[in-house]
Amino acid sequence: MKLGDVVEVNIEKTVFGGDGLARYGEDNFVIFVENALAQDKLKVEITSLNKKFARGKILEILDSPNRIKPFCALYNACGSCDCQNCSYDFLIEQKSEILKDIFKNIIDEKNIYPVIKSPIDKEYRHKIQFPAQQTKNSKRILLGYYKKNSHTLTNIKFCPLQPTIINDIAQFIRDNFELDCYDEKSHKGLLKNVLIRVSSDNGAILLTLVLNCNEDEFINYESKIFKFFKKIMAQFTEIKGGFVNFNPKKTNKILSDITLKIAGDDYILEKLENKTYKIGATSFFQVNPASAVNLFNVVKENIKPNSTILDAYGGVGAIGIYVSEKASKITLVEENENAIKMAYENFELNNVSNYEIFEGDAKKHFLDFEKQNRSFDYVILDPPRSGCDSSGLKAISKLAKNIIYVSCNPQTLRRDMSYLIEDGFKPKFVQGVDLFPYTHHIEAVCLFEREKDV
């Protein structure tokens, strides 16, 4: 096989990340094919090649029993979702099989549970982040998502995966924002990103504009920004708070640590079953609240009553508050100052009194707990996509009788699982939960029980 070869393949399965896997020739050489589905028969061109596997692109679909027409007209031009070419039920089946593939050599297959579907699969994204650009000649404002593996922005006027009002607000910004947009090459222009957070409970909205300036430079734009927020908040009374975030650095990071309220409220309220949460403009909170209930229930159902619980990277207190009925005491550790402030308010809002909060470097607090001979019946971990670093896991493992790991990346969960097994824990099950319909993302919850001291 060489680059540019055209071969016919049968797609065996979907792998994590969304590619289809085929095997070719007598040696069953692996070919990964983008946008392929399980059971596809395809004519494929080889686009990259090494000793272990090749990658190919589809030239012709010869047969595809599971393929359907995407429901979004911009599906092929937008990198926001990548799995609209099959039914939602079929996608859930594939995600369940992917989890089995990832964990089958470490957990009994009967304990790798099928992925729980999202209660809604359209208009579920209650937070969006749109990069902003302008066309070269007409200076028309573009807001949307980058095409996959590119910096080509697709102007999204309608996205079926987010509430309709987000589409309307984005169009108002295109038509009424009077200042210029950021240009990556020249590092000039003001508006970098637009963030919109909508409450699924009451429809209240926070709008944040990310600007390519610092606080001192903002005086040059202040009057026009205030005028714009007054105009858009009069048009959309659902917008309860307007903010700017100052991010003048050349960085892929969307938000800086400095946010200024321009008008309205500091927060909106979100509800998950009988729990209510204050969410600020830059707070981390689940994008799909309806499915977050499924996720949090998996955590809650696996905690025994009257337990001591460490919410290790607790944020605004979302999971800790949700499981608080099972706790004799909740200990929350969080580094972000704004999240800490919101966590205190959320505990009070939900009449939860059996809690304590530690602010600052998490690993330092874990080491302090160890020195104090503290231990916890359950440690809840909800790390970023990169997972936990090994030293953090080592510190946590000395404090925990059980660990409930909530992962947005099964591959880093698999890596961290190996560390925890070395530290004396046994994974009891993996439960998949779908928080992002029509994408390849999979959330997974794993319960670890201590088997031995190491």
Side-chain angles (χ1 to χ4, degrees):
M1 184 178 290
K2 60 184 183 298
L3 287 178
D5 278 358
V6 175
V7 296
E8 286 189 12
V9 296
N10 294 307
I11 301 299
E12 179 181 310
K13 61 184 178 181
T14 306
V15 297
F16 184 70
D19 288 347
L21 181 148
R23 301 183 191 275
Y24 185 76
E26 292 181 0
D27 57 353
N28 287 323
F29 190 68
V30 170
I31 305 173
F32 295 109
V33 184
E34 189 177 357
N35 299 321
L37 295 175
Q39 301 173 42
D40 275 358
K41 185 176 181 180
L42 306 170
K43 188 176 287 187
V44 168
E45 180 184 349
I46 303 301
T47 56
S48 68
L49 182 66
N50 61 40
K51 291 181 179 179
K52 294 184 177 179
F53 63 87
R55 295 193 180 277
K57 68 176 182 181
I58 298 173
L59 296 181
E60 185 180 350
I61 299 171
L62 303 174
D63 186 36
S64 184
N66 301 303
R67 193 173 294 266
I68 63 171
K69 182 180 179 181
F71 52 82
C72 178
L74 292 175
Y75 173 67
N76 291 316
C78 169
S80 174
C81 56
D82 47 15
C83 301
Q84 281 189 30
N85 54 357
C86 63
S87 72
Y88 186 48
D89 286 342
F90 180 77
L91 179 58
I92 290 295
E93 290 174 10
Q94 296 307 297
K95 290 186 177 187
S96 298
E97 291 301 315
I98 287 167
L99 288 184
K100 288 180 183 178
D101 269 356
I102 292 173
F103 297 106
K104 65 185 178 184
N105 293 326
I106 198 167
I107 299 179
D108 192 316
E109 192 170 306
K110 71 176 185 294
N111 295 325
I112 306 171
Y113 304 144
V115 172
I116 300 171
K117 292 170 65 173
S118 173
I120 55 173
D121 63 356
K122 309 286 195 314
E123 297 192 25
Y124 66 84
R125 288 183 178 171
H126 283 78
K127 178 186 175 184
I128 65 95
Q129 299 173 156
F130 277 162
Q133 287 182 5
Q134 282 176 289
T135 55
K136 191 171 184 180
N137 296 321
S138 69
K139 302 301 179 184
R140 183 168 57 95
I141 292 177
L142 308 177
L143 298 173
Y145 296 114
Y146 291 115
K147 194 171 183 178
K148 192 172 182 179
N149 300 322
S150 82
H151 274 256
T152 302
L153 192 68
T154 300
N155 195 37
I156 305 294
K157 294 198 174 185
F158 175 77
C159 173
L161 300 188
Q162 62 200 27
T164 300
I165 195 169
I166 292 180
N167 302 314
D168 298 337
I169 290 171
Q171 189 56 47
F172 187 92
I173 295 171
R174 292 185 188 97
D175 295 338
N176 293 277
F177 192 75
E178 296 179 358
L179 296 162
D180 58 357
C181 295
Y182 179 68
D183 178 75
E184 281 185 335
K185 292 181 180 178
S186 66
H187 196 55
K188 293 179 180 178
L190 185 66
L191 182 61
K192 277 185 153 183
N193 290 274
V194 173
L195 276 67
I196 304 171
R197 162 71 79 173
V198 184
S199 169
S200 67
D201 179 55
N202 57 35
I205 293 170
L206 297 180
L207 171 64
T208 304
L209 305 181
V210 183
L211 304 181
N212 179 37
C213 69
N214 59 38
E215 292 174 278
D216 294 333
E217 294 165 337
F218 183 60
I219 193 170
N220 300 316
Y221 314 106
E222 191 171 3
S223 62
K224 286 192 175 182
I225 292 292
F226 272 87
K227 179 183 173 184
F228 171 76
F229 272 105
K230 186 176 180 180
K231 189 174 182 180
I232 196 170
M233 292 174 78
Q235 179 70 23
F236 298 95
T237 57
E238 297 90 345
I239 300 177
K240 303 303 181 184
F243 304 80
V244 293
N245 177 268
F246 302 111
N247 189 3
K249 293 182 179 179
K250 292 181 180 178
T251 175
N252 290 328
K253 192 177 178 182
I254 294 174
L255 293 168
S256 76
D257 295 329
I258 305 171
T259 301
L260 174 69
K261 185 177 75 174
I262 301 298
D265 299 333
D266 294 322
Y267 60 85
I268 56 175
L269 296 177
E270 183 59 89
K271 203 163 187 177
L272 302 182
E273 290 199 331
N274 64 340
K275 304 300 183 186
T276 303
Y277 301 91
K278 290 182 178 180
I279 306 173
T282 60
S283 299
F284 172 79
F285 200 82
Q286 297 291 347
V287 170
N288 182 348
S291 199
V293 168
N294 289 336
L295 180 73
F296 289 7
N297 277 334
V298 174
V299 176
K300 186 176 180 179
E301 289 161 6
N302 285 283
I303 295 175
K304 293 177 181 177
N306 204 36
S307 294
T308 53
I309 300 172
L310 172 61
D311 195 356
Y313 303 93
V316 300
I319 299 180
I321 288 166
Y322 197 88
V323 304
S324 57
E325 288 96 339
K326 292 288 192 80
S328 60
K329 191 167 192 177
I330 297 276
T331 301
L332 183 145
V333 177
E334 174 56 47
E335 297 182 12
N336 182 277
E337 184 179 342
N338 291 327
I340 287 285
K341 177 178 178 292
M342 209 68 74
Y344 274 111
E345 294 178 8
N346 284 329
F347 277 107
E348 297 300 317
L349 182 64
N350 288 277
N351 298 311
V352 178
S353 57
N354 55 334
Y355 73 93
E356 59 183 348
I357 295 178
F358 292 85
E359 180 180 352
D361 181 72
K363 278 186 282 188
K364 179 182 180 301
H365 288 302
F366 301 154
L367 293 171
D368 288 344
F369 294 156
E370 184 185 356
K371 290 174 185 175
Q372 296 160 12
N373 292 318
R374 292 190 65 178
S375 66
F376 300 88
D377 296 319
Y378 294 88
V379 174
I380 299 172
L381 289 177
D382 187 7
R385 291 190 62 76
S386 56
C388 295
D389 67 55
S390 57
S391 60
L393 280 177
K394 180 70 70 175
I396 286 166
S397 68
K398 294 177 181 178
L399 303 171
K401 297 175 184 175
N402 304 278
I403 295 173
I404 301 178
Y405 193 129
V406 179
S407 171
C408 58
N409 184 342
Q411 290 183 321
T412 54
L413 171 58
R414 175 65 177 80
R415 179 202 67 203
D416 291 349
M417 191 177 282
S418 299
Y419 296 143
L420 288 171
I421 289 170
E422 289 175 7
D423 288 332
F425 288 87
K426 181 177 181 179
K428 302 299 287 186
F429 69 82
V430 170
Q431 172 67 73
V433 184
D434 193 33
L435 266 70
F436 296 95
Y438 301 108
T439 77
H440 67 265
H441 297 291
I442 313 171
E443 206 91 3
V445 180
C446 183
L447 171 65
F448 294 88
E449 293 182 354
R450 179 177 290 285
E451 279 205 319
K452 58 186 176 182
D453 293 323
V454 177

